[in-house]
C-alpha cells in the first residue's frame, strides 16, 4: 500500500516505520503524504489507541531530502505551503511515540518532537544542522526545540548545528527515556500498550491539557485543566475507574 513505509498493528498499538535506508530515511513529500495518510487512518480507528514511529537500523530520519529542496524557490515553496502536511500529522489527537535509534537530524528531529513521548536508544543522535546548508529548521524546530529544552540549549544546537547524544538529550529534556538498543522496540510497545489501555477520551483530555501549557499563561492553562477535569465527571471511564479503585479491583475500561 505504501512505497516508503512499513506499517504494523499489534493489539491496540499501530506502528509506522519509514523505509528509505539508502537515504537514511530522509523525508520527502512522498514520505510526508504517506505518513500522514497512514497515521490519519490509525487515528480514525476506534481499535487503535496509540501510534509508534519506529526507527530504522541507522536512522530515525537523517533530515529532509535535500535533492527535493535544492530545486525549490520562494514561489514554489510558498505556493505549495511546503511541509504543511507535517502540521496536520502533529495535530492528530492519537497519542504518538517516537522510538529513535541512530540519527534524528533536521526534519527527523522535528518529526520526533511532534510526538508526545520520545524514547531514545543509547546510540541515538539528535540535531538541527540546517545552518550548515544555508537554511534554518522549517518543520517547527525553532519552536518545539525551544519549548522542550529552553532558549539556551536550543540556541546552542541550532546556531552551531552540533549533534547531541542520547544521554545529553535526556539531561536537557529532549527525550523522556534512554533505552538499550536491543530493547528499544519492546519498551516502546510496552509504553504504547499502556497508553492504549486507558480510555481514549480521557487520554485525549490529558494530552490537550499538557499541550495547553505550551500555548497559554499559567492562569489560563490551569483554568483549562480545571474545566476539563470537571467535565470528565460522569463519563463512563471516570465512573468505572473510581468504582474499581474503591472496590479494590482492576478497572474494565473496555466495558465502560
Amino acid at each position: 500500500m505504501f512505497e516508503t513505509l512499513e506499517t504494523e498493528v499489534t493489539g491496540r498499538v499501530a506502528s509506522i516505520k519509514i523505509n528509505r535506508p539508502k537515504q537514511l530515511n530522509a523525508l520527502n513529500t512522498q514520505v510526508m503524504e504517506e505518513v500522514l495518510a497512514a497515521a490519519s487512518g490509525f487515528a480514525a480507528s476506534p481499535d487503535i489507541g496509540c501510534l509508534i514511529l519506529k526507527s530504522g537500523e541507522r536512522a530515525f530520519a537523517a533530515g529532509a531530502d535535500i535533492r527535493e529542496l535544492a530545486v525549490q524557490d520562494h514561489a514554489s515553496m510558498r505556493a505549495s505551503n511546503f511541509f504543511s502536511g507535517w502540521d496536520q500529522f502533529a495535530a492528530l489527537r492519537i497519542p504518538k511515540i517516537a522510538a529513535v535509534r541512530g540519527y534524528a537530524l533536521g526534519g527527523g528531529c522535528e518529526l520526533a518532537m511532534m510526538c508526545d513521548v520520545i524514547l531514545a536508544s543509547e546510540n541515538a543522535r539528535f540535531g538541527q544542522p540546517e545552518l550548515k546548508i544555508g537554511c534554518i529548521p522549517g518543520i517547527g524546530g525553532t519552536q518545539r526545540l525551544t519549548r522542550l529544552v529552553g532558549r539556551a540549549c536550543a540556541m546552542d544546537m541550532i546556531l552551531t548545528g552540533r549533534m547531541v547524544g542520547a544521554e545529553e538529550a535526556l539531561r536537557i529534556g529532549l527525550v523522556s527515556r534512554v533505552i538499550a538498543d536491543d530493547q528499544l522496540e519492546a519498551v516502546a510497545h510496552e509504553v504504547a500498550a499502556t497508553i492504549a489501555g486507558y480510555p481514549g477520551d480521557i487520554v485525549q483530555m490529558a494530552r490537550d491539557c499538557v499541550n495547553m501549557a505550551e500555548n497559554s499563561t499559567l492562569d489560563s492553562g490551569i483554568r483549562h485543566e480545571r474545566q476539563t477535569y470537571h467535565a470528565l465527571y460522569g463519563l463512563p471511564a471516570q465512573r468505572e475507574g473510581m468504582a474499581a479503585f474503591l472496590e479494590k479491583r482492576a478497572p474494565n475500561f473496555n466495558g465502560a
Side-chain angles (χ1 to χ4, degrees):
M1 181 179 179
F2 298 111
E3 295 182 6
T4 68
L5 308 179
E6 296 175 1
T7 63
E8 183 181 8
V9 174
T10 303
R12 288 181 48 77
V13 176
S15 65
I16 295 173
K17 181 179 180 180
I18 300 170
N19 187 27
R20 301 185 75 208
K22 292 182 179 179
Q23 297 82 15
L24 292 179
N25 290 344
L27 307 175
N28 61 12
T29 298
Q30 183 179 8
V31 171
M32 178 184 71
E33 291 175 347
E34 291 191 355
V35 168
L36 178 59
S40 297
F42 290 135
S45 171
D47 298 323
I48 302 298
C50 194
L51 174 64
I52 302 173
L53 289 187
K54 291 185 177 181
S55 199
E57 291 301 316
R58 297 176 57 199
F60 179 74
D65 193 324
I66 306 305
R67 290 186 181 277
E68 181 179 57
L69 297 180
V71 299
Q72 305 294 329
D73 58 22
H74 180 214
S76 66
M77 295 293 272
R78 186 176 180 86
S80 63
N81 194 11
F82 212 87
F83 292 147
S84 60
W86 291 122
D87 299 334
Q88 298 174 54
F89 169 79
L92 293 174
R93 297 184 72 193
I94 186 171
K96 298 180 282 292
I97 296 173
V100 178
R101 179 187 291 113
Y103 297 110
L105 305 177
C109 186
E110 291 170 302
L111 177 57
M113 290 190 292
M114 295 176 203
C115 297
D116 302 297
V117 177
I118 304 177
L119 305 176
S121 74
E122 293 172 332
N123 76 342
R125 298 290 182 270
F126 300 86
Q128 298 288 167
E130 286 85 352
L131 263 68
K132 293 182 178 182
I133 57 168
C135 201
I136 68 169
I139 320 179
T142 62
Q143 304 304 300
R144 290 192 177 93
L145 187 63
T146 304
R147 285 166 169 77
L148 285 172
V149 306
R151 180 182 183 277
C153 289
M155 283 290 193
D156 182 5
M157 290 178 64
I158 291 170
L159 297 187
T160 68
R162 74 181 183 92
M163 289 188 288
V164 301
E167 291 296 338
E168 182 175 0
L170 178 65
R171 177 173 59 81
I172 64 178
L174 179 55
V175 308
S176 60
R177 307 187 200 182
V178 176
I179 300 158
D181 183 65
D182 61 353
Q183 295 295 312
L184 178 64
E185 290 195 8
V187 173
H189 276 276
E190 180 182 343
V191 173
T194 297
I195 295 170
Y198 296 130
D201 51 355
I202 307 299
V203 170
Q204 288 187 358
M205 288 179 176
R207 288 185 68 254
D208 290 345
C209 285
V210 174
N211 288 331
M212 184 75 174
E214 294 183 338
N215 300 294
S216 68
T217 64
L218 178 60
D219 285 345
S220 60
I222 289 175
R223 186 162 55 250
H224 176 79
E225 177 192 84
R226 191 67 42 75
Q227 291 170 348
T228 303
Y229 182 81
H230 291 165
L232 65 82
Y233 275 79
L235 293 179
Q238 175 267 324
R239 294 201 179 280
E240 167 61 13
M242 292 189 179
F245 179 85
L246 293 173
E247 295 165 10
K248 301 187 184 333
R249 59 175 175 82
N252 178 19
F253 289 126
N254 290 331

